Amino acid sequence: MEVEEEFDILDPERLVQCPYDKHHRIRARRFPYHLVKCRKSYPQVAEELSTCPFNARHLVPQADLRDHISNCNDKRFIEEEIASEANDFQRRQMNSVSTWQAPPCDEDWDTESLEHSTSPFVQGMADYGINGTTLERKSYLPPGLRAPKSSPYAMARKAS
């Protein structure tokens, strides 16, 4: 008997009563569209009804919402699904043991810094490595153009 009732709930052709107008009987597959239409047609009734947090098709009077939430069938489905997902996650975590190991590191930054030149990096300056001290200014601008001597942002700060 219960199996037949479950199939009846899932039947898209079954008739459902409209919460806005008790004389409306709508096919289950069209019910969401009808709710939108009736909400606009009956704004006074819409203010008195609240939507179930577990199923937007459940519209109940605001005074009965707390009772509906505690007894809602869809709440049970959601709670069961959350519980099963949590159990599946825990099972996967327990079954999957990580075999990853860090690869051996061949780098030694202390010795590398001693082997290379000690001149610092300066943007726009070229170090050709001659005696480790020859620095020359590089310009990527075409002949006849020069870079500005100051930033326009610095001039704007001075003006204000």
Side-chain angles (χ1 to χ4, degrees):
M1 193 75 156
E2 289 179 8
V3 175
E4 290 178 14
E5 289 177 7
E6 284 183 27
F7 284 120
D8 188 38
I9 290 172
L10 300 176
D11 182 18
E13 296 300 319
R14 70 184 166 87
L15 293 175
V16 181
Q17 185 177 11
C18 174
Y20 295 103
D21 185 350
K22 303 299 180 194
H23 301 289
H24 292 176
R25 309 252 312 148
I26 305 97
R27 301 247 180 248
R29 62 187 168 92
R30 297 292 306 161
F31 191 63
Y33 305 104
H34 180 83
L35 285 178
V36 172
K37 181 180 174 185
C38 268
R39 183 178 293 129
K40 292 177 183 175
S41 299
Y42 300 97
Q44 304 85 7
V45 179
E47 288 178 6
E48 296 173 9
L49 296 177
S50 294
T51 304
C52 171
F54 304 108
N55 188 338
R57 294 178 183 192
H58 296 172
L59 295 171
V60 294
Q62 291 177 354
D64 300 337
L65 182 62
R66 191 170 288 200
D67 293 332
H68 174 81
I69 288 174
S70 62
N71 299 324
C72 182
N73 290 333
D74 292 323
K75 175 183 176 183
R76 292 186 192 108
F77 292 131
I78 291 173
E79 287 174 344
E80 289 173 6
E81 187 173 331
I82 290 171
S84 69
E85 285 179 6
N87 290 337
D88 289 344
F89 178 74
Q90 288 175 350
R91 267 189 240 115
R92 279 185 266 136
Q93 287 294 332
M94 294 182 91
N95 292 340
S96 66
V97 177
S98 177
T99 58
W100 183 84
Q101 292 181 352
C105 183
D106 298 334
E107 295 180 346
D108 186 4
W109 291 2
D110 295 328
T111 57
E112 288 178 8
S113 66
L114 295 174
E115 291 173 0
H116 294 3
S117 71
T118 57
S119 62
F121 173 79
V122 179
Q123 177 70 34
M125 302 296 276
D127 180 6
Y128 295 112
I130 304 171
N131 296 335
T133 57
T134 308
L135 294 175
E136 186 179 298
R137 191 147 200 52
K138 269 188 176 177
S139 176
Y140 298 103
L141 296 174
L145 291 178
R146 66 169 180 79
K149 295 190 188 287
S150 64
S151 170
Y153 303 110
M155 293 176 71
R157 265 190 260 138
K158 288 179 184 176
S160 60

